[in-house]
Amino acid sequence: MTFSWLQAPKHSVRSISSLILLLILSTFHLSLQAQESIDQAKWDAGKALFKSQCQSCHLPDKKMTGPALQNATLRWEADGEHQGKSGKEWLYEWVRNNSSVLESGHPYANNLYQEYGKSVMSLFPQLSNEDIDGIFYYANNYDKGAKAVGVTVPGGDAPVSSTFPMKTFLWILILGLGLVAFILYRVFNSLKRLAAASEGKALPPAVPFWKNKKLITLVVLAAVVFLAYTTAGSAMALGRQQSYAPTQPIQYNHQVHAGKYQIDCQYCHSGASESKHSNIPSINVCMNCHKNVQAGQINGRKEIAKIYSAIAYNPNSGTYFAEDASDEDIKAELTAYLMQDYESSAVNQEELDATLAAAFEMYDKPVEWVRIHNLPDHVYFNHAQHVNAGKVECQTCHGNIQEMDVVAQHSPLSMGWCINCHRQTEVDLGNNYYQVYEKFHEDLKSGKMDKVTVEDIGGTECQKCHY
Ligand code: HEC
Ligand code: HEC
Ligand code: HEC
Ligand code: HEC
Ligand code: HEC
Ligand code: HEC
């Protein structure tokens, strides 16, 4: 078949296609307008803060340790006015320093504090009004922002999270073009029939389009391409999960340990400078301090009780439980320890039972920390090489862990991310480790090169990173 439709009267084809184009453009415009109602940059920034600072205790839509934060702004605007200051101003202060708000006698805040069994919320003096606005913007609209965290291009830039609904646009375009092709095909067929009829030629019987072999082949082909595309896409994203911040079995907090108390990262992750893997510390390391530190400011004894239970330690006597200790004895000791969180008149029995059950469940078992960073098996990554030889700071790859209540994956861990850094980062040839690179030393001296990057020493060769 030749595409003789070009010979068809031009104006009719043109007016049909411009009509369709108009249709596509107006749909696209509509979809853009629907997206515009959310300020994606603000939403993303708010979400990041929410996840790193608030999510250990709050969800947007459900009650957890603290109330659901969706519409908290409205609640404070409605009921938060006090001592001549607006609810909004008090809300900023609440987030930065809730204890001063409670001390001021603020009625709404004090009621809430009672309602939540005097659970203490952390202080966030570092957050600006703008940060806080962002957090509540996210909480109020948590279900409205773009779901995709970012699109990474192998070898390209760091992830770009775009406000532009590229996917929607592409789909509309593909559907639109398909429709155009289909209509043009029909038009062309009718024209051919008309032309043939006017010339008095005999015609083959009309084939309905659902029986048309060419069309069926085309549809099957399109389906195969679509499936291959989506499968490859999800396979590539598998195991790559930027911002992943799972809830851990013990609410261990980096902001408290590495931030407030400035404990060196390698006190716990000693593997990072010596071996391929950076280890998660064993409970024995925790016990170096927690034999003495028996309560925290955030959760009191609730989380530390799990440490004791996991290692079968009795905090009341300072000894380990005997092998044959009965469940009742263990529970009684843990309860006595946990009771110290309450004034004798105000025991929240329900909370106490839940806390005891959660701790006892972990008794004498290894703690099952949920792994956050995880490269696929075909990639070789070595911490010591980066931390020791390369002198790359933990924070360059992991973000400001010392400010996180809950660890979230900071970098995309994509191939493009690794390679970008290798292209840009200079290696320090003064380091004895690099004495082998005689040639580079000479080139640097003679001025042939002004710097040597990780790429120059082979850091973008496939077999360096792939088994
Ligand atoms: C360690 C747990 C914890 C963390 C972390 C935490 N909160 Fe809270 N929050 C609470 C608790 C518990 C309450 C209930 C009041 C109380 O007991 O102090 C609360 C109450 C609130 C309220 C009042 C809600 C209402 O219904 O009026 C707001 C607003 C709030 N938190 C915001 C935040 C923000 C924003 C963050 C993060 C920057 C945050 N919280 C982090 C525990 C926490
Ligand atoms: C007191 C011990 C301790 C200190 C100090 C500490 N960490 Fe951790 N770290 C842990 C524990 C326990 C976990 C596992 C639980 C979690 O993810 O919060 C962990 C998890 C992590 C993870 C996520 C591991 C994964 O599953 O992918 C990273 C990354 C990390 N720490 C980096 C750091 C950095 C960087 C510092 C210094 C700024 C630091 N840590 C300081 C104990 C510690
Ligand atoms: C070098 C000392 C040290 C080590 C090691 C250490 N901690 Fe802590 N931890 C502290 C101190 C100090 C506090 C009290 C923080 C505060 O002021 O509330 C604390 C508090 C806590 C809290 C309570 C937080 C709160 O306020 O509710 C938990 C849970 C906790 N640590 C878990 C762990 C775990 C799990 C480990 C081992 C992976 C560990 N810690 C290792 C010093 C340490
Ligand atoms: C060049 C980037 C980079 C630097 C620098 C870096 N890490 Fe990592 N880290 C990673 C990657 C990538 C993974 C995932 C490794 C895997 O899945 O095999 C990871 C994983 C981890 C884990 C989880 C356990 C593991 O090894 O899989 C911990 C804990 C950790 N890093 C802590 C640290 C600490 C502490 C430092 C600083 C002393 C540090 N990292 C420096 C990139 C880095
Ligand atoms: C923040 C920068 C940075 C990032 C991100 C980074 N690297 Fe590197 N990498 C370096 C530096 C600096 C060196 C040089 C240290 C050395 O000489 O071994 C290096 C060296 C290496 C080497 C040894 C190269 C050679 O020729 O000896 C391998 C393999 C490697 N990186 C793998 C990875 C992988 C896999 C990732 C991603 C998961 C990654 N790196 C991410 C900075 C980075
Ligand atoms: C600096 C380290 C590094 C180098 C050099 C490198 N890769 Fe990768 N590659 C990675 C990482 C990390 C991943 C995993 C990305 C992920 O999980 O999305 C990966 C994934 C892949 C994948 C799986 C598809 C995907 O995106 O997950 C293929 C195929 C691949 N690399 C091929 C190559 C080839 C071919 C070369 C040489 C031209 C090469 N890589 C060089 C780090 C590297």
Side-chain angles (χ1 to χ4, degrees), residues 42-289:
K42 190 171 175 184
W43 192 91
D44 285 340
K47 179 177 178 183
L49 279 173
F50 184 92
K51 289 212 142 176
S52 62
Q53 309 290 328
C54 320
Q55 191 161 275
S56 50
C57 301
H58 292 284
L59 288 172
D61 57 335
K62 276 195 215 78
K63 189 168 146 174
M64 216 174 39
T65 309
L69 287 191
Q70 189 176 31
N71 297 333
T73 41
L74 299 180
R75 296 195 285 275
W76 283 71
E77 271 159 28
D79 300 328
E81 208 179 303
H82 175 56
Q83 292 176 347
K85 272 205 297 185
S86 73
K88 193 167 180 200
E89 284 170 87
W90 281 109
L91 178 57
Y92 286 133
E93 184 166 345
W94 169 267
V95 176
R96 277 194 283 268
N97 184 352
N98 65 78
S99 74
S100 76
V101 178
L102 291 172
E103 272 161 27
S104 80
H106 192 283
Y108 174 85
N110 277 292
N111 280 342
L112 202 66
Y113 182 62
Q114 294 298 333
E115 193 186 316
Y116 279 80
K118 298 194 181 170
S119 269
V120 180
M121 172 165 143
S122 338
L123 311 184
F124 301 94
Q126 76 278 15
L127 295 179
S128 66
N129 284 4
E130 204 190 352
D131 292 337
I132 296 171
D133 286 340
I135 293 173
F136 289 118
Y137 185 73
Y138 166 72
N140 289 342
N141 301 292
Y142 74 98
D143 50 351
K144 298 203 188 96
K147 292 287 181 289
V149 182
V151 188
T152 9
V153 191
D157 264 321
V160 281
S161 78
S162 94
T163 47
F164 190 68
M166 201 57 200
K167 274 239 172 93
T168 325
F169 174 62
L170 278 179
W171 281 119
I172 293 171
L173 200 70
I174 290 171
L175 282 176
L177 287 179
L179 201 69
V180 172
F182 179 68
I183 292 177
L184 286 179
Y185 173 76
R186 303 275 296 176
V187 169
F188 153 70
N189 254 356
S190 314
L191 286 174
K192 203 168 77 172
R193 292 188 158 273
L194 275 177
S198 68
E199 284 166 26
K201 280 189 197 155
L203 284 175
V207 185
F209 70 86
W210 62 89
K211 283 196 182 156
N212 184 319
K213 288 224 177 77
K214 281 198 196 93
L215 201 70
I216 293 173
T217 320
L218 214 72
V219 168
V220 170
L221 214 74
V224 169
V225 169
F226 172 77
L227 279 179
Y229 171 80
T230 45
T231 317
S234 45
M236 282 198 307
L238 208 86
R240 237 207 258 157
Q241 32 193 356
Q242 201 170 7
S243 327
Y244 179 49
T247 310
Q248 298 288 355
I250 301 177
Q251 279 186 28
Y252 168 79
N253 186 317
H254 278 83
Q255 194 241 315
V256 169
H257 293 85
K260 187 167 162 200
Y261 289 99
Q262 309 228 320
I263 306 170
D264 186 59
C265 309
Q266 298 194 33
Y267 179 90
C268 290
H269 302 292
S270 51
S273 63
E274 292 151 17
S275 66
K276 179 172 181 302
H277 277 292
S278 176
N279 58 309
I280 302 294
S282 75
I283 287 291
N284 288 314
V285 175
C286 313
M287 287 298 281
N288 289 345
C289 299

Side-chain angles (χ1 to χ4, degrees), residues 375 379-382 384-393 396-397 411-428 431 433-434 437 453-466:
L375 287 168
V379 180
Y380 175 83
F381 176 84
N382 186 318
Q385 203 162 39
H386 289 87
V387 173
N388 227 353
K391 302 266 174 283
V392 185
E393 298 276 332
T396 311
C397 297
S411 301
L413 305 199
S414 66
M415 180 161 141
W417 173 71
C418 313
I419 293 204
N420 257 359
C421 179
H422 286 184
R423 290 212 173 114
Q424 283 158 9
T425 309
E426 225 174 300
V427 288
D428 173 15
N431 189 334
Y433 188 83
Y434 297 108
Y437 300 111
T453 62
V454 183
E455 182 172 28
D456 293 325
I457 64 167
T460 54
E461 288 163 15
C462 314
Q463 80 281 4
K464 286 273 170 75
C465 301
H466 290 290

